[in-house]
């Protein structure tokens, strides 16, 4: 089957090639024939065009020659007719001039008196015309003056109206401005009145606040005098303890001040440098002016010490209360052990001994070895930490 198909395809291919060759041959022969026919037709058309051009040029030359001849004939004929017409018109003009002169002399002889009257009337008419022209010029001048004065009156009226309108507008503007100024003055007066009342109120409040502060200061001074009487000899000699974290606090404060200055805060800018004139206190250790926020350091040290002492006393009081309660419980258990009643029998009792051990409700109090050492937190450190937190917020 494959060989048969190959042979069939080969036959079809050979047939196709033969038909293709035949078509190419026919196409080439037909193309040559069309090209030869086209060249013949082109040559024929060129010959026809050349013959037509020659014929048209000959015809044009003949027409031009005939036109020139006809034009010469017509020009000669027109010249002859013009000469004849000129001669005829000259004779007619001479006859008419002779008749006109004759008629003119006859008219002059017949109308001599009328001519004199006409001249008189003409001269009178010229005089009247001159007078009329003068009157007309005068009338025109008067009319122009009248028009000028009318225009001037209209212009003055217009200017007066404009001036009146401008003055009215200016009056309205001034009145409006006056009303605005009046309203502004009233508002300013009311504002100043409110400010004055507020200032008075604030002054009274500030006065009361200063009075309260003075009373508080007097109370603080009285309490300080009373507290000084109760101070120990050591507190009188060294009233302020030396902070163990003072250097660390100062370093952190400098870092916070530098950071605030970089961020452009006005309050931090005011804290950059403390001059002797801006401070009313001096440090004994550094011999420099005390900073704005360090004026109450000694007060806080003393306050923190008192606060810590109060906390220690409260702790000691709680401890003592607890020991007292334990001792009271032990004493109660002891009394319950040596007496017999219904209350004692209903509860655990030390009289019942099991395995040589008494049954007590509470263990005996035992004093710890580290009970004397208590953990304290420095109040100044806590206050500074709270201030730093507020500044950060």
């Amino acid at each position: 089957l494959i060989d048969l198909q190959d042979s069939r395809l080969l036959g079809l291919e050979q047939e196709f090639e033969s038909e293709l060759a035949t078509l190419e041959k026919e196409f080439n022969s037909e193309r040559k024939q069309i090209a030869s026919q086209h060249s013949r037709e082109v040559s024929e058309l060129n010959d026809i065009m050349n013959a037509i051009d020659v014929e048209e040029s000959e015809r044009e030359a003949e027409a031009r020659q005939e036109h020139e001849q006809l034009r010469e004939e017509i020009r000669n004929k027109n010249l002859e007719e013009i000469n004849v017409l000129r001669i005829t018109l000259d004779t007619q003009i001479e006859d008419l001039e002779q008749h006109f002169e004759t008629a003119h002399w006859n008219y002059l002889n017949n109308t001599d008196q009328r001519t004199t009257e006409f001249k008189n009337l003409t001269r009178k008419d010229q005089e009247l015309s001159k007078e009329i022209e003068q009157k007309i010029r005068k009338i025109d001048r008067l009319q122009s003056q009248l028009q000028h004065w009318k225009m001037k009156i209209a212009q003055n009226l217009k200017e007066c109206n404009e001036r009146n309108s401008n003055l009215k507008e200016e009056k309205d503007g001034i009145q409006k401005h006056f009303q605005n100024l009046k309203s502004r003055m009233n508002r300013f007066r009311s504002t100043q009145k409110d400010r004055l009342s507020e200032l008075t109120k604030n002054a009274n409040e500030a006065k009361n606040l200063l009075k309260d502060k003075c009373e508080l200061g007097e109370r603080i001074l009285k309490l300080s005098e009373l507290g000084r009487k109760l101070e120990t000899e050591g507190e009188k000699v060294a009233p302020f303890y030396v902070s163990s974290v003072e250097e660390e606090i100062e370093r952190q404060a400098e870092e916070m001040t530098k950071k605030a200055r970089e961020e452009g805060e006005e309050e931090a800018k005011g804290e950059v440098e403390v001059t002797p004139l801006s401070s009313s206190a001096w440090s004994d250790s550094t011999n420099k002016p005390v900073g704005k926020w360090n004026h109450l350091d000694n007060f806080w040290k003393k306050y923190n010490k008192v606060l810590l002492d109060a906390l220690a006393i409260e702790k000691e009081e709680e401890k003592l209360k607890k020991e007292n309660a334990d001792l009271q419980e032990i004493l109660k258990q002891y009394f319950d052990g040596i007496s017999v009643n219904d209350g004692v029998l209903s509860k655990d009792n030390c009289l019942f001994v099991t395995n040589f051990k008494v049954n007590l409700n509470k263990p005996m109090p035992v004093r710890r070895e580290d009970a004397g050492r208590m953990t304290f937190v420095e109040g100044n450190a806590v206050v500074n930490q709270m201030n730093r937190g507020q500044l950060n917020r």
Side-chain angles (χ1 to χ4, degrees):
L1 291 175
I2 293 172
D3 295 337
L4 181 61
Q5 183 68 21
D6 292 337
S7 62
R8 185 171 175 275
L9 290 175
L10 183 61
L12 290 174
E13 186 176 358
Q14 290 176 358
E15 184 180 357
F16 174 73
E17 289 179 355
S18 62
E19 289 180 358
L20 181 61
T22 304
L23 289 174
E24 288 180 353
K25 185 176 181 182
E26 290 178 357
F27 176 75
N28 291 327
S29 62
E30 188 176 357
R31 186 178 64 179
K32 290 179 181 179
Q33 184 179 359
I34 291 170
S36 62
Q37 185 178 357
H38 177 68
S39 62
R40 285 197 305 274
E41 289 178 356
V42 169
S43 62
E44 289 177 0
L45 289 173
N46 289 328
D47 295 337
I48 291 169
M49 290 174 67
N50 293 327
I52 290 171
D53 291 336
V54 172
E55 185 177 357
E56 290 295 330
S57 62
E58 291 177 356
R59 188 179 297 173
E60 184 180 358
E62 290 177 358
R64 188 178 288 108
Q65 187 176 2
E66 289 178 359
H67 176 70
E68 292 293 334
Q69 291 177 0
L70 183 61
R71 189 179 67 177
E72 290 294 333
E73 290 177 358
I74 292 171
R75 189 166 67 82
N76 294 328
K77 185 178 180 181
N78 288 330
L79 289 174
E80 290 178 357
E81 289 179 356
I82 288 169
N83 291 326
V84 173
L85 183 60
R86 184 182 292 112
I87 293 169
T88 303
L89 290 174
D90 289 338
T91 55
Q92 288 179 1
I93 289 169
E94 289 177 357
D95 294 336
L96 289 173
E97 286 180 354
Q98 188 176 1
H99 287 298
F100 179 74
E101 289 293 334
T102 303
H104 180 65
W105 283 109
N106 291 328
Y107 175 76
L108 290 176
N109 292 325
N110 293 326
T111 59
D112 188 11
Q113 185 178 0
R114 292 182 179 178
T115 303
T116 306
E117 292 177 358
F118 175 74
K119 289 180 179 179
N120 293 328
L121 291 174
T122 303
R123 185 174 61 256
K124 191 174 180 180
D125 181 64
Q126 289 177 356
E127 292 176 356
L128 292 174
S129 298
K130 291 180 180 179
E131 188 176 356
I132 289 169
E133 288 178 358
Q134 292 177 359
K135 297 293 184 181
I136 289 171
R137 285 196 296 271
K138 187 176 181 180
I139 291 169
D140 292 336
R141 186 171 61 254
L142 292 174
Q143 286 181 353
S144 62
Q145 291 179 0
L146 180 63
Q147 190 69 23
H148 172 71
W149 287 113
K150 285 182 179 179
M151 290 176 64
K152 193 168 183 181
I153 290 169
Q155 186 176 2
N156 291 331
L157 182 62
K158 185 178 179 181
E159 290 179 357
C160 292
N161 291 329
E162 290 179 356
R163 190 180 300 168
N164 291 331
S165 62
N166 293 329
L167 290 173
K168 188 176 180 180
E169 291 177 358
E170 187 176 358
K171 177 186 175 183
D172 295 336
I174 292 171
Q175 188 173 3
K176 186 177 180 181
H177 184 63
F178 170 73
Q179 295 295 333
N180 292 330
L181 288 176
K182 188 175 181 180
S183 61
R184 286 175 62 186
M185 287 177 66
N186 292 329
R187 289 196 299 270
F188 179 75
R189 286 174 181 174
S190 61
T191 305
Q192 294 298 322
K193 184 178 179 181
D194 295 337
R195 289 180 65 186
L196 181 60
S197 61
E198 186 177 0
L199 179 62
T200 306
K201 183 179 178 182
N202 294 332
N204 292 328
E205 291 178 355
K207 186 177 179 181
N208 295 329
L209 183 62
L210 291 174
K211 185 177 180 181
D212 296 337
K213 287 185 177 180
C214 288
E215 293 177 355
L216 179 62
E218 292 176 357
R219 183 169 176 271
I220 290 171
L221 292 175
K222 290 178 181 179
L223 291 176
S224 64
E225 292 294 333
L226 294 174
R228 192 174 290 111
K229 295 178 181 179
L230 301 176
E231 288 180 353
T232 62
E233 295 296 332
E235 290 177 349
K236 291 180 180 180
V237 174
F240 307 109
Y241 66 92
V242 179
S243 177
S244 60
V245 293
E246 187 174 359
E247 296 181 357
E248 181 68 20
I249 293 171
E250 291 180 357
R251 185 179 62 80
Q252 292 179 0
E254 290 178 358
E255 292 178 356
M256 292 173 62
T257 305
K258 185 177 180 182
K259 183 178 179 182
R261 185 171 61 250
E262 291 176 355
E263 293 178 355
E265 296 183 358
E266 295 181 358
E267 294 181 359
K269 288 181 180 178
E271 297 174 1
V272 173
E273 183 179 358
V274 180
T275 59
L277 296 177
S278 63
S279 178
S280 60
W282 286 72
S283 176
D284 296 333
S285 60
T286 60
N287 197 17
K288 291 182 180 180
V290 178
K292 181 179 179 181
W293 305 106
N294 298 326
H295 285 209
L296 297 177
D297 285 350
N298 293 330
F299 169 77
W300 289 117
K301 285 180 181 180
K302 199 167 185 179
Y303 177 77
N304 291 334
K305 185 178 179 182
V306 173
L307 183 62
L308 291 173
D309 291 341
L311 291 174
I313 291 170
E314 290 178 359
K315 293 287 185 181
E316 189 67 23
E317 184 180 1
E318 291 178 358
K319 181 181 176 182
L320 293 175
K321 285 182 179 179
K322 187 176 180 182
E323 290 181 359
N324 189 16
D326 293 338
L327 292 173
Q328 287 179 0
E329 184 67 22
I330 292 169
L331 185 61
K332 182 176 179 299
Q333 289 178 2
Y334 173 75
F335 283 118
D336 290 340
I338 62 175
S339 63
V340 178
N341 52 35
D342 295 335
V344 171
L345 294 177
S346 63
K347 299 179 182 179
D348 293 334
N349 199 307
C350 61
L351 295 177
F352 296 99
V353 177
T354 304
N355 295 330
F356 304 101
K357 294 181 180 180
V358 294
N359 188 10
L360 295 177
N361 293 334
K362 296 292 183 177
M364 292 298 291
V366 178
R367 183 178 295 275
R368 297 174 58 183
E369 295 180 357
D370 56 349
R373 297 194 299 273
M374 298 180 65
T375 303
F376 295 98
V377 178
E378 188 177 2
N380 193 16
V382 175
V383 172
N384 288 329
Q385 187 175 2
M386 292 175 63
N387 291 331
R388 286 198 298 274
Q390 292 178 359
L391 288 174
N392 292 328
R393 287 196 297 273

